[in-house]
Amino acid sequence: MSSPVPSQARTLQKLYLALFLRGRSSRGLQKDKAPQSIGRKLWGTLALYAAVGLIALTFAGQGTFALSIYLHAMSLVFLGMFIAASAGEILFNKDEAEILLHRPVDSRTLLWAKVAVLVRVSLWITCAFNLAGMVAGSLSDKGSPFFAPVHFISICLSALFCSGSVVLLYQLCLRWFGRERLDNLMTTAQVLLAVLMVVGSQMVPHLMIGMQGKMDPLANQTWLFLLPPAWFASLDQVLLGGGKPAAWIMAGTGVLATALVLGLAFGRMARVYEEGLQTLAESRPRKERRPGKKRFLDLLTDAPPLRWMLREPVTRAAFRLVAAYLARDRDMKLRLYPGLAPMMVMPMVFMVQSLRDKDGINWGVAIAAGYLGMIPLTAMTMLQFSQHWQAADLYRQAPVQGPGPFIHGAVRAVCIFLAVPAMALLVVITCFLPHGPSQLVTLLPGIIALPFFALLPGALEKAAPLSKPVEEAKSASRGGFMFLAVFLAPLIPALGLGARHFGMLSLFLLLEAALIAVGCWFLSRAIDRKAWDPLE
Amino acid sequence: MISLHRLTKQFGLQTAVDSLSLEIPAGQIVGLLGPNGAGKSTTLKMLTGMLIPTSGSATICGHDLLKEPMEVKRNVGFVPDSGAVFESLTGLEYLEMVAALYGIPAEAARERIRQFIAFFDLSFETLTDKLLGAYSKGMRRKVVITAALLHNPPVVFFDEPLDGLDANAAVGFKALIQTLAREGKAIVYSSHILDVVERVCDRVIIIDKGKLQVDGAPAELVAAHKARSLEQLFTRLTGGQDLEQKAEDFAKTFRP
């Protein structure tokens, strides 16, 4: 009897799950080593989500609807961030075209397999985050013993909705704006998604305060029908048997919206996806430049102050390399800019929130400046990883003692191309706020701390640009570090505000500048002393 | 077996393949030659369904490239010049995955994989224990060639297949494709190694800037153009003049 033929769909799902867990590239690894390394990181990530999910316990006393809407809102934020960060790589991997596009695989099957893996991993994350909430919802006085299984059904649906929406968004971008601008469109789409998620996450607390754990206030506010967390929380209510007509309508909207999104993404628009994949196999010629015309980067690096800052040739080369990747590399753009978007949006959210407060403008501007440091910190952390990491062997072939000059070049590129424009934007926005120019001084504590944040990743780890496989970026400890940094970022501006309140801002700024200078000197020395690790 | 009719591919304003028409019967090994950027890989990518032609048509084993892409793909094996593989799979996992995509039962696939690894002198342990990312370039190429032939396709496209193969494997591979052609497969062999093409191929097609320059048996083409060798004919047709002088001038720049 002949052995069964595995279906294409199952084969591809198995493939993509293996690729997700092991990463797409490996060097010198035996089979038993690779999956464990990524797998362990995944367990760490899930543990982190489970720990963050404990916050849900504070909503346990407010009844199942309040708990459910909180869980769904936060799950959609986390899922949206995860899917936005992973989808570009999973859906449009360039190497994959050479491996799979000439084989008899239907684009719909390929798409389903990828999304099935996205949904599966999304569910692991969501389940980890929702675990505490589901237990609390099932065991608390105002809860229901069936809350856990019912909520599991609704989070499955919301994971499908979230994945389908991202896929559909890409397909619509491809269809409306053409294939030529695919890379930039994907980056823009992911940045917008990230922004949407951050803004959404800021709305949740206000919503929770507004509804005070009751369903009734929701029924009178039709705009709530637009919010997916309300749909899926209502589905929980309906499945638990306590649904009012408004809940039935919203639950129905959730189910219908999910069906519609999936129907469009995997039905009518699947062909667009195939065209998008084929675009990746095409290499279009760059626009011709006028002879003798200098590139923008040449103009920039040949003129002061960069000419002075980049006297050291290796640092200068690393600066140019990083600048090129920031502007041109598809994979880098897809990971970096959506990752930076929350760091740009959070300050804006603080500024908008502080506008409501008559005297609150100080803290909004100051905290926003505090988050400026997160831009080079995040960028330096992400810039270490690249699909072309093996090309970084070139650094070792050159007669350079260690990764120091490469890290310094990357730090300067990140500061010039990302942090300085963000700082300028913040200054301009502050000037346009009521009493804005007088508030500019409150930006200083955040701005002074910026170089310290920029040097930190290079000093803590060997953050030589583009030198590590992208898979290593998926690390729970790195996620935890960033989480911590986001919470600590407003600390310095908060101290600055305190000093200003007591009329000691000048002294504070002097002290801060001195401490930051000493800190930067130590970090810079640590970077210079780093030596190359042996190759595997 | 393979039929191209005015096949064209444009990338923006640039024409990569310009109105290419030709017929390749079963049992023939056709060498596809051309300088870098001539349109060889683009032609192969169109014929394997990886790129959509801008205009023109092509059929493979009687199946239209645009109307029956799945049938075309079932009848085609392709070794891309990149040698791309999923690096975090083992060789065996990769080959079994490819076999499953063509609907080959697991047992039959395993048997065929054993035959290929015996031919290519690969150990089964390497195939099961090592991830493809840890393979040498030559070993990886052997896996890619195996993956292209697993489903026994009647048409095979090779884009620089010898890249990375050691001398023994290269000799074995050349004998293999000649045997496959004798058994009725149509083989298109794109390469820059002209003497190998001259020895292995029944017919040579030289394209430049997307256009067909010459098409015929290597010896006949050399004789018809009064060239000393295929190499000389190639450089003459594709604008590679004064190469020795250029090399000498360049080498002089290294003198202290």
Side-chain angles (χ1 to χ4, degrees):
Chain A
M1 210 175 82
S2 65
S3 56
V5 182
S7 77
Q8 279 193 343
R10 281 193 66 183
T11 305
L12 289 170
Q13 279 183 36
K14 202 174 141 192
L15 165 74
Y16 289 117
L17 190 61
L19 292 179
F20 183 85
L21 291 175
R22 295 181 196 173
R24 284 196 179 246
S25 59
S26 58
R27 177 193 282 185
L29 292 178
Q30 295 289 325
K31 185 191 173 188
D32 55 338
K33 287 182 188 155
Q36 279 177 10
S37 59
I38 307 273
R40 242 182 250 146
K41 286 173 187 171
L42 185 69
W43 278 114
T45 307
L46 293 180
L48 194 71
Y49 275 108
V52 175
L54 291 172
I55 298 171
L57 298 178
T58 57
F59 293 95
Q62 294 193 32
T64 52
F65 185 74
L67 177 64
S68 180
I69 202 165
Y70 164 77
L71 288 173
H72 275 297
M74 294 311 289
S75 299
L76 280 170
V77 169
F78 289 137
L79 280 189
M81 301 280 263
F82 164 72
I83 293 172
S86 316
E89 173 61 17
I90 292 179
L91 293 176
F92 294 101
N93 183 276
K94 207 167 184 175
D95 287 340
E96 192 180 281
E98 298 256 304
I99 305 171
L100 288 180
L101 265 191
H102 56 90
R103 306 197 190 278
V105 183
D106 182 40
S107 55
R108 200 166 288 142
T109 312
L110 198 64
L111 190 57
W112 258 120
K114 291 177 177 188
V115 173
V117 171
L118 265 182
V119 170
R120 193 187 295 195
V121 181
S122 302
L123 272 177
W124 294 344
I125 291 172
T126 324
C127 285
F129 173 73
N130 281 265
L131 190 65
M134 287 200 282
V135 173
S138 296
L139 301 180
S140 69
D141 294 342
K142 288 187 177 177
S144 158
F146 298 109
F147 181 76
V150 159
H151 188 68
F152 178 73
I153 292 171
S154 66
I155 57 175
C156 287
L157 203 65
S158 72
L160 276 171
F161 171 78
C162 209
S163 312
S165 302
V166 173
V167 173
L168 187 62
L169 180 70
Y170 282 143
Q171 290 168 332
L172 290 173
C173 285
L174 273 168
R175 188 165 184 172
W176 289 337
F177 303 107
R179 294 180 294 165
E180 291 76 13
R181 287 176 284 171
L182 177 67
D183 290 356
N184 287 336
L185 277 171
M186 279 164 58
T187 310
T188 312
Q190 291 201 3
V191 168
L192 287 177
L193 260 176
V195 169
L196 204 70
M197 293 304 156
V198 174
V199 173
S201 71
Q202 292 303 306
M203 284 174 65
V204 174
H206 296 288
L207 189 66
M208 302 301 297
I209 293 162
M211 58 187 276
Q212 294 171 324
K214 291 179 191 130
M215 176 72 187
D216 296 341
L218 289 175
N220 301 326
Q221 299 183 38
T222 45
W223 59 272
L224 274 171
F225 281 87
L226 297 171
L227 295 182
W231 305 340
F232 298 113
S234 299
L235 183 64
D236 279 356
Q237 292 304 108
V238 168
L239 292 176
L240 285 171
K244 293 181 178 175
W248 277 91
I249 293 170
M250 285 203 278
T253 309
V255 174
L256 277 177
T258 307
L260 186 70
V261 159
L262 293 178
L264 282 172
F266 301 103
R268 294 183 63 176
M269 303 292 282
R271 174 72 196 148
V272 180
Y273 174 68
E274 189 177 8
E275 285 174 15
L277 279 183
Q278 282 168 331
T279 312
L280 296 180
E282 296 184 3
S283 49
R284 288 171 181 273
R286 289 176 71 85
K287 241 194 262 174
E288 275 185 33
R289 270 184 313 125
R290 263 186 293 150
K293 191 186 172 194
K294 271 192 165 185
R295 285 179 191 279
F296 171 70
L297 194 57
D298 294 329
L299 289 172
L300 202 67
T301 50
D302 288 348
L306 279 183
R307 202 173 69 194
W308 306 324
M309 285 168 69
L310 302 170
R311 275 190 300 254
E312 207 277 312
V314 180
T315 305
R316 186 183 176 86
F319 177 90
R320 294 180 64 96
L321 175 72
V322 169
Y325 265 69
L326 287 176
R328 298 181 209 152
D329 185 60
R330 173 179 167 271
D331 157 64
M332 183 59 72
K333 288 194 284 186
L334 280 174
R335 281 185 301 111
L336 182 65
Y337 296 114
L340 285 178
M343 306 305 164
M344 296 290 288
V345 177
M346 286 298 281
M348 301 302 159
V349 170
F350 283 122
M351 289 175 91
V352 170
Q353 284 178 346
S354 68
L355 278 175
R356 291 179 186 167
D357 189 354
K358 247 186 179 177
D359 306 316
I361 191 69
N362 285 338
W363 71 263
V365 172
I367 303 286
Y371 274 95
L372 275 178
M374 292 303 297
I375 292 172
L377 182 92
T378 312
M380 279 302 292
T381 307
M382 289 185 171
L383 264 169
Q384 304 170 67
F385 308 101
S386 165
Q387 286 182 335
H388 311 136
W389 61 282
Q390 282 165 320
D393 283 355
L394 186 73
Y395 304 162
R396 295 156 185 273
Q397 289 160 13
V400 182
Q401 286 287 336
F406 297 98
I407 297 174
H408 283 304
V411 168
R412 279 159 214 189
V414 158
C415 287
I416 296 290
F417 294 110
L418 301 174
V420 170
M423 192 168 73
L425 184 69
L426 193 58
V427 169
V428 171
I429 292 173
T430 307
C431 287
F432 279 103
L433 292 174
H435 314 293
S438 63
Q439 307 296 337
L440 283 174
V441 71
T442 52
L443 292 174
L444 285 175
I447 291 174
I448 291 170
L450 202 141
F452 183 83
F453 283 107
L455 288 166
L456 204 55
L460 291 181
E461 49 184 340
K462 283 178 185 142
L466 321 174
S467 62
K468 296 174 188 170
V470 177
E471 290 70 29
E472 285 186 19
K474 294 170 193 163
S475 149
S477 59
R478 188 163 290 110
F481 172 70
M482 292 306 294
F483 213 71
L484 197 69
V486 168
F487 278 110
L488 291 180
L491 197 65
I492 295 173
L495 289 173
L497 282 177
R500 193 182 183 192
H501 180 74
F502 292 108
M504 296 162 69
L505 184 62
S506 306
L507 185 67
F508 175 83
L509 291 176
L510 274 175
L511 189 67
E512 185 198 353
L515 285 174
I516 291 291
V518 172
C520 286
W521 184 80
F522 275 111
L523 292 178
S524 199
R525 289 255 302 170
I527 291 171
D528 291 337
R529 282 180 178 174
K530 286 191 185 296
W532 297 115
D533 284 330
L535 282 174
E536 282 171 291
Chain B
M1 195 73 106
I2 305 171
S3 175
L4 281 72
H5 181 68
R6 301 181 67 79
L7 197 67
T8 302
K9 181 68 190 177
Q10 289 177 323
F11 296 117
L13 294 174
Q14 188 183 316
T15 304
V17 176
D18 193 355
S19 212
L20 198 61
S21 297
L22 49 98
E23 299 281 336
I24 300 172
Q28 199 170 60
I29 305 176
V30 177
L32 187 62
L33 304 179
N36 295 328
K40 304 184 298 293
S41 293
T42 304
T43 305
L44 296 188
K45 282 178 180 172
M46 281 194 284
L47 293 176
T48 51
M50 293 171 68
L51 286 177
I52 302 170
T54 310
S55 64
S57 62
T59 57
I60 288 175
C61 300
H63 301 290
D64 189 281
L65 194 62
L66 293 173
K67 290 177 190 152
E68 304 164 275
M70 285 300 138
E71 282 310 310
V72 168
K73 288 177 182 186
R74 269 188 204 104
N75 285 289
V76 158
F78 179 44
V79 175
D81 63 339
S82 68
V85 287
F86 291 119
E87 290 186 7
S88 51
L89 298 189
T90 65
L92 187 66
E93 283 173 334
Y94 180 74
L95 291 172
E96 286 184 340
M97 183 272 294
V98 170
L101 295 182
Y102 288 94
I104 304 171
E107 235 171 60
R110 188 64 74 98
E111 183 51 36
R112 208 168 284 174
I113 291 165
R114 278 188 191 282
Q115 290 160 0
F116 274 106
I117 61 171
F119 171 73
F120 277 126
D121 266 343
L122 286 169
S123 76
F124 202 72
E125 287 68 38
T126 304
L127 218 57
T128 51
D129 296 342
K130 251 184 169 178
L131 300 182
L132 281 164
Y135 282 30
S136 69
K137 194 176 178 185
M139 275 164 60
R140 201 189 290 203
R141 181 64 67 171
K142 289 173 186 176
V143 170
V144 174
I145 292 171
T146 305
L149 297 172
L150 263 183
H151 59 295
N152 196 15
V155 173
V156 193
F157 297 105
F158 292 107
D159 199 354
E160 292 294 353
L162 297 185
D163 191 17
L165 290 189
D166 61 46
N168 287 336
V171 170
F173 174 73
K174 283 180 262 180
L176 173 71
I177 60 169
Q178 284 172 324
T179 313
L180 292 174
R182 276 199 294 278
E183 286 176 6
K185 292 189 194 305
I187 292 170
V188 178
Y189 186 110
S190 171
S191 176
H192 292 293
I193 310 171
L194 299 183
D195 52 343
V196 175
V197 172
E198 198 168 7
R199 265 184 286 132
V200 170
C201 298
D202 309 311
R203 179 179 158 196
V204 165
I205 292 167
I206 299 180
I207 58 173
D208 190 23
K209 299 186 181 86
K211 285 195 166 156
L212 192 141
Q213 302 294 318
V214 291
D215 180 357
E220 286 171 17
L221 286 177
V222 169
H225 288 81
K226 297 186 175 67
R228 282 197 304 274
S229 63
L230 186 63
E231 190 178 85
Q232 198 200 25
L233 172 64
F234 180 85
T235 51
R236 197 191 292 166
L237 288 172
T238 57
Q241 279 102 22
D242 306 325
L243 294 176
E244 283 167 14
Q245 186 59 47
K246 281 180 190 167
E248 206 172 303
D249 293 344
F250 179 58
K252 278 180 192 165
T253 62
F254 292 103
R255 287 182 192 162

